[in-house]
Amino acid sequence: MKFLKTSILIVGLLVLGVVAVSAQTFDSHNITFDITAFSVIALNDTTVVDLSVTPAAPGAVITGDTDNTKYLLYPVLTGATTQEITVTAATVTGGIPAGTALSVVASGLTGNEGSATAAVTLTTGMANTNIITGISSVATGTGVGDGAQLTYAFTITDETQVTTAEDNNEITVTYTITEN
């Protein structure tokens, strides 16, 4: 009988021990996701673009210059709206020389990177003008050749007004990304 009582007591303690040990087998917590809209813009490099007048053959039309080494890079996370990139220009010294014009156009856009507008003629003091519209959530990348390629075209509009007195004129071109 003593053996039976001891056996029952041991079995009872084991059952209680198992119940006590297995009472807490998991725990949990919630995770809240905070996704806010953002947009950031940068140029692949900010070195000066040097545009010049090309010497012409005798009697030939004087030509300007182009540059397509700059790229706009932008990660964008949008809600229901799209983003756009605008461009404006401001004088640093002298402005855009008389008898010339400067334009910029974006290219190489795919998917959610947006749609390029027609070339924008830059003038000092101009209002912000769309250059890329319809940008949705996207990351253009950060590598060589990623993003929107910018092509600047410096053209001669009236040779009779161009003078060397306006050599080394400089403007600042600013790109801004905003919600549409």
Side-chain angles (χ1 to χ4, degrees):
M1 183 76 161
K2 187 175 180 181
F3 176 74
L4 183 61
K5 283 183 181 179
T6 304
S7 296
I8 291 173
L9 181 62
I10 290 173
V11 169
L13 289 173
L14 285 174
V15 168
L16 286 175
V18 169
V19 169
V21 169
S22 66
Q24 180 71 30
T25 60
F26 70 92
D27 203 355
S28 65
H29 66 90
N30 294 339
I31 297 175
T32 301
F33 298 97
D34 183 19
I35 303 173
T36 56
F38 66 86
S39 54
V40 180
I41 191 170
L43 287 162
N44 63 321
D45 79 76
T46 56
T47 58
V48 172
V49 173
D50 187 22
L51 299 171
S52 58
V53 174
T54 305
V61 174
I62 301 170
T63 60
D65 198 1
T66 61
D67 180 276
N68 62 357
T69 61
K70 302 292 184 198
Y71 289 80
L72 283 174
L73 309 172
Y74 45 95
V76 174
L77 184 60
T78 63
T81 61
T82 58
Q83 305 281 306
E84 61 190 18
I85 297 176
T86 59
V87 60
T88 190
T91 299
V92 174
T93 55
I96 298 170
T100 68
L102 177 63
S103 64
V104 62
V105 66
S107 63
L109 302 168
T110 61
N112 290 350
E113 292 177 356
S115 300
T117 65
V120 175
T121 299
L122 301 174
T123 58
T124 56
M126 66 186 279
N128 284 339
T129 304
N130 286 345
I131 188 165
I132 301 172
T133 60
I135 302 167
S136 298
S137 294
V138 69
T140 59
T142 59
V144 174
D146 287 342
Q149 185 176 26
L150 300 173
T151 300
Y152 293 96
F154 177 53
T155 56
I156 307 299
T157 57
D158 184 350
E159 304 87 11
T160 64
Q161 293 182 8
V162 179
T163 69
T164 58
E166 295 186 83
D167 187 36
N168 292 318
N169 284 11
E170 189 173 340
I171 65 167
T172 298
V173 178
T174 303
Y175 295 93
T176 307
I177 190 165
T178 58
E179 189 174 292
N180 188 11

